[in-house]
């Protein structure tokens, strides 16, 4: 985040996203950071300080090592205490930091500011808000918070948004609507995204291509491996709609029927869906072929917690 121009205070504010949602613990199953994981407020910071001071945590709740770093570091702890004490300050700082995150790398275009300036933007926002509210902050909304854009509630809006806003703008606006549905702050929104975040892991992607795109975004090999775990959920269904380490468990299982080496093609076109799930893609093969990448794949297969920590 420092490399992207974010301050320590902005990092702490963005960590407040953990007030919503769950994470999977190897020993305890699904756990939330707060006792109201579908409400966006400042309770995450209160939980972190409470655990640090007392060592106690509520039923069904958990805490990660990265959370406790917010109190171990003196500077980060100042921001954490501030946000725990004043939700209005947290909302104000979070809205500014999240807006900055959404607009990172965007070209500045005069006259494109806030959906309220155009009735079309306002109508689209209202439809997104209604769809998310109807879904009652279920899997689709949480998917948006995790960065997933291929969620059902967005599909009928893509065609209607053409000519009004780009796909990237629609995806960013959906996250703004999801935050408000979870009782979070209203994040400033600016149009002008010419495209979505580049797709790093299209089907049949090769490692050299993925690496080049990742490095252009400032990401390294560890990031490539950990994000491949999310691509496994998207393309193969590992995790059955939830974020788990299932892709790495499958990849390191040694039960594959065919190994598609980079440049060797992906098998016959009439291959059945059942067989396809057992076929290694060029990227899968490359992750197992290079020792450093293979080691990390086995680490994530053995420890979902390690995968989650690096993914976070």
């Amino acid at each position: 985040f420092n490399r992207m121009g974010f301050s320590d205070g902005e990092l702490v504010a963005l960590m407040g996203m953990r007030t919503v949602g769950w994470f999977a613990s190897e020993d305890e199953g699904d756990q939330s950071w707060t006792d109201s994981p579908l409400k966006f407020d400042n309770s995450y910071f209160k939980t972190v300080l409470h655990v640090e001071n007392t060592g106690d945590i509520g039923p069904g709740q958990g805490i990660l090592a990265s959370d406790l770093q917010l109190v171990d570091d003196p500077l980060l702890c100042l921001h954490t205490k501030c946000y725990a004490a004043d939700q209005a300050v947290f909302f104000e700082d979070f809205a500014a930091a999240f807006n900055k995150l959404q607009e990172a790398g965007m070209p500045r275009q005069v006259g494109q500011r806030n959906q309220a300036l155009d009735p079309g933007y306002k109508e689209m926002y209202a439809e997104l808000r209604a769809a998310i509210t109807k879904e009652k902050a279920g899997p689709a909304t949480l998917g948006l918070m995790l960065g997933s854009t291929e969620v059902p509630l967005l599909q009928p809006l893509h065609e209607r948004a053409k000519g009004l806003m780009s796909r990237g703008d629609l995806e960013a606006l959906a996250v703004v609507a999801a935050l408000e549905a979870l009782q979070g702050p209203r994040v400033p929104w600016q149009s002008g995204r010419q495209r979505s975040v580049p797709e790093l892991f299209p089907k049949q992607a090769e490692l050299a291509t993925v690496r080049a795109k990742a490095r252009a975004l400032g990401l390294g090999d560890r990031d490539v491996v950990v994000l491949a775990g999310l691509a496994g959920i998207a393309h193969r269904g590992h995790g059955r709609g939830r974020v788990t380490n299932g892709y790495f468990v499958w990849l390191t299982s040694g039960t594959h029927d065919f190994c598609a080496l980079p440049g060797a093609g992906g098998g016959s076109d009439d291959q059945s869906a059942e067989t396809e799930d057992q076929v290694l893609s060029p990227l899968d093969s490359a992750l197992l072929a290079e020792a450093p990448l293979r080691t990390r794949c086995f680490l994530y297969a053995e420890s979902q917690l390690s995968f989650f920590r690096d993914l976070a």
Side-chain angles (χ1 to χ4, degrees):
F1 274 87
N2 290 148
R3 186 173 65 240
M4 295 171 63
F6 286 84
S7 67
D8 288 342
E10 289 170 324
L11 170 61
V12 176
L14 291 172
M15 285 285 285
M17 284 281 283
R18 291 184 173 184
T19 196
V20 296
W22 294 261
F23 65 94
S25 166
E26 291 181 325
D27 300 323
E28 304 294 335
D30 290 346
Q31 294 181 303
S32 62
W33 283 274
T34 71
D35 58 4
S36 301
L38 292 178
K39 180 180 180 182
F40 194 98
D41 55 21
N42 66 336
S43 57
Y44 166 74
F45 301 107
K46 294 179 179 179
T47 299
V48 171
L49 292 173
H50 178 74
V51 172
E52 173 68 13
N53 292 331
T54 68
D56 296 330
I57 194 163
Q61 293 177 238
I63 208 81
L64 300 175
S66 57
D67 301 313
L68 295 178
Q69 289 177 2
L70 295 184
V71 290
D72 291 339
D73 184 287
L75 181 58
L76 301 184
C77 188
L78 288 175
H79 294 285
T80 301
K81 289 180 177 179
C82 174
Y83 296 149
D86 194 327
Q87 180 168 283
V89 172
F90 165 53
F91 274 21
E92 181 179 354
D93 289 356
F94 175 83
F98 194 76
N99 181 53
K100 180 178 177 180
L101 181 65
Q102 281 200 320
E103 296 181 1
M106 276 182 55
R108 291 289 181 259
Q109 298 187 25
V110 177
Q112 292 187 319
R113 186 70 201 176
N114 205 301
Q115 66 274 23
L117 297 179
D118 188 309
Y121 292 143
K122 199 169 184 179
E123 181 180 344
M124 187 63 67
Y125 181 84
E127 290 194 39
L128 284 166
R129 185 78 169 81
I132 291 168
T133 301
K134 183 179 179 180
E135 211 256 356
K136 297 181 180 178
T141 301
L142 295 176
L144 285 171
M145 307 305 289
L146 288 169
S148 170
T149 56
E150 296 301 326
V151 294
L153 65 85
L154 285 184
Q155 299 311 313
L157 298 177
H158 282 309
E159 283 298 320
R160 290 164 57 192
K162 286 183 178 178
L164 174 66
M165 63 180 73
S166 69
R167 185 186 180 99
D169 280 340
L170 176 65
E171 293 164 359
L173 187 59
V175 178
V176 171
L179 274 170
E180 187 176 355
L182 293 169
Q183 302 180 47
R186 182 70 176 270
V187 176
W189 177 85
Q190 176 177 332
S191 64
R193 295 164 185 81
Q194 297 182 6
R195 56 183 172 80
S196 305
V197 174
E199 185 180 8
L200 293 178
F201 298 93
K203 288 187 176 182
Q204 300 303 314
E206 297 192 1
L207 180 59
T209 303
V210 172
R211 265 185 172 146
K213 291 181 178 179
R215 286 174 179 167
L217 296 171
L219 304 176
D221 279 353
R222 187 190 73 168
D223 303 310
V224 167
V225 177
V226 74
L227 292 173
L230 292 185
I233 295 172
H235 294 327
R236 296 184 181 274
H238 295 301
R240 297 183 179 181
R242 295 174 58 247
V243 179
T244 73
N245 65 337
Y247 166 74
F248 299 105
V249 173
W250 170 82
L251 183 64
T252 59
S253 66
T255 60
H256 318 109
D257 296 332
F258 176 78
C259 182
L261 295 174
S268 61
D269 293 335
D270 59 354
Q271 192 172 40
S272 69
E274 291 81 4
T275 305
E276 183 180 0
D277 189 55
Q278 297 302 319
V279 176
L280 290 175
S281 72
L283 179 63
D284 299 330
S285 301
L287 293 179
L288 294 177
E290 294 191 18
L293 306 184
R294 181 172 64 250
T295 299
R296 190 158 293 277
C297 288
F298 274 89
L299 169 65
Y300 295 153
E302 290 292 327
S303 173
Q304 181 165 274
L305 184 58
S306 295
F307 169 51
F308 276 20
R309 283 174 177 167
D310 288 350
L311 177 61

